[in-house]
Amino acid sequence: MNTRRTHPAGGVDDALRHPRTQQALRGTTVLVGCYAGVSALTLLAVILLRHHPDMVTDAVWVRAVIVVATSLLMASFAARTARGHRRSYLRLRLASALMLVAIAVIIALPGGFPTWLKLEQGVCGALLLGVVMIVNGRRMRAAFASR
């Protein structure tokens, strides 16, 4: 019978239990959690400022909702990665890199978004840069390479 296992028969392997890997996993989870928190607070600000069309445009609404949704997905990926799920680790690597590129584009393009949102996206970008650096680091790649 072909049953799918997310962990080796003996449980989480030594590479994932290594203290530095555990520290990297905790750091990733904290950074993604902060990203989700900042994103949720931004959506709250958008809701509160909805009657100020110079500060909250349609593009701001769309961006805020997308960022909250992706941040929650990434929080799920980070939590599952911390439990040793290789596919979630790969999803976290991909999502964090794509969102970082999207943030760089938003900040770089003139117009389109108000300055306050670009500043907020800069904060999110800094958090995601930390995630990208950790999840693409040698220790994390090695921990999930054998899985």
Side-chain angles (χ1 to χ4, degrees):
M1 175 179 225
N2 284 337
T3 57
R4 192 172 204 163
R5 290 190 181 194
T6 57
H7 298 291
V12 178
D13 61 8
D14 290 337
L16 283 174
R17 283 187 278 191
H18 191 280
R20 287 187 182 162
T21 305
Q22 288 295 306
Q23 181 181 12
L25 290 166
R26 279 190 302 276
T28 299
T29 303
V30 167
L31 287 171
V32 171
C34 289
Y35 171 60
V38 169
S39 300
L41 289 174
T42 300
L43 183 57
L44 178 63
V46 167
I47 292 167
L48 294 174
L49 296 170
R50 69 186 174 274
H51 298 297
H52 299 276
D54 56 322
M55 296 180 76
V56 178
T57 63
D58 289 342
V60 170
W61 274 103
V62 170
R63 181 67 188 160
V65 170
I66 288 171
V67 171
V68 167
T70 59
S71 71
L72 295 176
L73 276 173
M74 287 176 53
S76 169
F77 299 157
R80 289 180 53 87
T81 296
R83 292 192 303 267
H85 294 264
R86 186 173 194 277
R87 285 191 177 179
S88 291
Y89 166 68
L90 296 173
R91 289 176 184 136
L92 181 61
R93 284 181 70 188
L94 181 64
S96 60
L98 289 175
M99 287 304 295
L100 185 58
V101 169
I103 287 169
V105 168
I106 285 173
I107 292 172
L109 288 178
F113 293 97
T115 303
W116 74 268
L117 186 77
K118 289 186 177 196
L119 292 171
E120 178 271 344
Q121 287 292 281
V123 170
C124 288
L127 293 167
L128 287 181
L129 180 60
V131 173
V132 168
M133 291 174 63
I134 293 170
V135 298
N136 289 294
R138 186 174 42 99
R139 173 143 324 265
M140 289 283 280
R141 284 183 289 124
F144 285 94
S146 62
R147 302 191 62 71

